[in-house]
């Protein structure tokens, strides 16, 4: 629930990359190259989106009360 709450502040693309990459929801986790193929983007761009989203997630979780 904490992660779902934090993801609300993400762009739709960031949310989708994180959900696919880490298997949030009912889906199995996917490698970056598969996410890139599905989203018609380069693998390196998926990597940059993932890195930016994880930094946001770390910041959001750090700001939440226990």
């Amino acid at each position: 629930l904490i992660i779902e709450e934090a993801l609300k502040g993400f762009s739709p693309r960031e949310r989708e990359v994180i959900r696919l990459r880490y298997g949030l929801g009912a889906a199995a986790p996917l490698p970056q190259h598969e996410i890139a193929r599905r989203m018609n983007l380069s693998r390196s761009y998926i990597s940059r989106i993932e890195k930016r989203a994880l930094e946001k997630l770390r910041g959001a979780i750090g700001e939440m009360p226990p």
Side-chain angles (χ1 to χ4, degrees):
L1 258 81
I2 291 174
I3 292 175
E4 287 296 324
E5 188 68 28
L7 289 177
K8 288 181 182 178
F10 285 29
S11 73
R13 187 175 275 172
E14 289 170 333
R15 260 194 312 273
E16 185 68 10
V17 168
I18 293 299
R19 285 196 170 123
L20 291 172
R21 184 77 172 116
Y22 295 97
L24 301 179
L30 296 174
Q32 288 179 345
H33 68 87
E34 178 61 24
I35 297 167
R37 187 187 66 75
R38 287 184 181 200
M39 297 179 76
N40 199 28
L41 299 169
S42 71
R43 194 224 38 93
S44 63
Y45 190 49
I46 294 297
S47 180
R48 290 191 301 268
I49 293 169
E50 180 183 356
K51 181 179 177 182
R52 185 175 57 236
L54 288 175
E55 288 171 1
K56 281 185 178 180
L57 187 59
R58 284 185 195 104
I61 290 174
E63 294 169 4
M64 290 186 169

